[in-house]
Amino acid sequence: PAEEAGETARRRPRARGPRRPTGRERHDEKITVYVSAEELMDLEHARLVLRGEHGLAVDRGRVVREAISVVLADLEQRGEASILVRRLRGR
Protein backbone atom coordinates (compact mmCIF):
# COMPACT_ATOMS: atom_id res chain seq x y z
CA PRO A 1 0.00 0.00 0.00
CA ALA A 2 2.77 2.52 0.80
CA GLU A 3 4.47 1.71 -2.49
CA GLU A 4 1.18 2.15 -4.31
CA ALA A 5 0.62 5.51 -2.63
CA GLY A 6 4.09 6.62 -3.73
CA GLU A 7 3.40 5.54 -7.29
CA THR A 8 0.06 7.36 -7.29
CA ALA A 9 1.73 10.51 -5.99
CA ARG A 10 4.38 10.36 -8.73
CA ARG A 11 1.81 9.83 -11.47
CA ARG A 12 -0.69 12.41 -10.27
CA PRO A 13 -0.01 15.72 -12.03
CA ARG A 14 -0.26 18.78 -9.85
CA ALA A 15 -1.92 21.93 -11.06
CA ARG A 16 0.74 24.24 -12.44
CA GLY A 17 1.31 27.70 -11.10
CA PRO A 18 2.96 29.10 -8.02
CA ARG A 19 2.69 26.96 -4.92
CA ARG A 20 0.99 29.01 -2.23
CA PRO A 21 0.95 28.18 1.47
CA THR A 22 -2.40 28.45 3.18
CA GLY A 23 -1.54 31.16 5.68
CA ARG A 24 -3.75 32.05 8.63
CA GLU A 25 -6.92 30.01 8.37
CA ARG A 26 -8.50 27.01 10.01
CA HIS A 27 -6.94 23.78 8.78
CA ASP A 28 -8.85 20.50 8.81
CA GLU A 29 -5.89 18.21 8.12
CA LYS A 30 -3.23 17.44 10.68
CA ILE A 31 0.10 15.66 10.89
CA THR A 32 2.39 15.17 13.84
CA VAL A 33 6.08 15.84 13.36
CA TYR A 34 8.63 15.16 16.07
CA VAL A 35 11.60 17.50 16.22
CA SER A 36 14.66 17.73 18.43
CA ALA A 37 14.92 20.36 21.15
CA GLU A 38 17.48 22.18 18.99
CA GLU A 39 15.17 22.18 15.94
CA LEU A 40 12.33 23.52 18.07
CA MET A 41 14.56 26.28 19.42
CA ASP A 42 15.67 27.14 15.85
CA LEU A 43 12.04 27.33 14.75
CA GLU A 44 11.13 29.55 17.68
CA HIS A 45 14.19 31.74 17.00
CA ALA A 46 13.10 32.13 13.36
CA ARG A 47 9.62 33.13 14.54
CA LEU A 48 11.09 35.77 16.86
CA VAL A 49 13.41 37.10 14.14
CA LEU A 50 10.46 37.40 11.76
CA ARG A 51 8.58 39.33 14.43
CA GLY A 52 11.41 41.49 15.77
CA GLU A 53 13.37 42.27 12.63
CA HIS A 54 10.72 42.02 9.93
CA GLY A 55 7.47 42.98 11.68
CA LEU A 56 5.80 39.65 10.83
CA ALA A 57 3.75 38.20 13.67
CA VAL A 58 3.37 34.57 12.61
CA ASP A 59 3.06 31.33 14.55
CA ARG A 60 5.34 28.32 14.19
CA GLY A 61 2.76 26.48 12.10
CA ARG A 62 2.77 29.27 9.55
CA VAL A 63 6.56 29.22 9.37
CA VAL A 64 6.48 25.44 8.82
CA ARG A 65 3.78 25.69 6.11
CA GLU A 66 5.80 28.41 4.32
CA ALA A 67 8.97 26.31 4.52
CA ILE A 68 7.15 23.26 3.16
CA SER A 69 5.72 25.33 0.31
CA VAL A 70 9.16 26.65 -0.64
CA VAL A 71 10.84 23.24 -0.52
CA LEU A 72 8.09 21.51 -2.51
CA ALA A 73 8.08 24.25 -5.16
CA ASP A 74 11.86 23.85 -5.47
CA LEU A 75 11.46 20.08 -5.81
CA GLU A 76 8.83 20.49 -8.51
CA GLN A 77 10.86 23.09 -10.38
CA ARG A 78 14.38 21.66 -10.07
CA GLY A 79 13.79 17.95 -9.49
CA GLU A 80 17.10 16.14 -9.06
CA ALA A 81 18.91 19.44 -8.42
CA SER A 82 16.45 20.55 -5.72
CA ILE A 83 17.70 21.28 -2.22
CA LEU A 84 15.45 18.53 -0.82
CA VAL A 85 16.88 15.80 -3.05
CA ARG A 86 20.44 16.99 -2.41
CA ARG A 87 19.98 17.14 1.38
CA LEU A 88 18.23 13.78 1.57
CA ARG A 89 21.09 12.26 -0.40
CA GLY A 90 23.60 13.89 1.96
CA ARG A 91 25.08 16.30 -0.57
Side-chain angles (χ1 to χ4, degrees):
E3 290 176 9
E4 291 174 19
E7 279 299 313
T8 301
R10 280 192 290 276
R11 284 184 271 148
R12 185 182 309 135
R14 196 181 82 71
R16 294 290 176 213
R19 182 178 292 278
R20 302 287 306 156
T22 56
R24 189 170 178 86
E25 63 183 57
R26 179 175 168 78
H27 294 89
D28 295 326
E29 304 301 324
K30 178 181 175 181
I31 66 169
T32 300
V33 177
Y34 292 92
V35 297
S36 69
E38 183 179 5
E39 290 166 331
L40 184 59
M41 292 298 290
D42 290 345
L43 180 56
E44 185 61 18
H45 180 260
R47 188 187 69 79
L48 293 172
V49 167
L50 288 167
R51 180 177 168 183
E53 296 180 19
H54 304 286
L56 296 168
V58 296
D59 61 28
R60 292 180 303 211
R62 176 76 185 273
V63 174
V64 169
R65 287 190 302 277
E66 290 288 344
I68 289 170
S69 180
V70 167
V71 168
L72 294 181
D74 181 59
L75 174 63
E76 185 174 308
Q77 193 172 50
R78 301 182 70 216
E80 188 73 19
S82 71
I83 188 72
L84 183 59
V85 170
R86 291 193 332 255
R87 288 182 64 113
L88 291 173
R89 289 202 168 130
R91 294 186 250 163

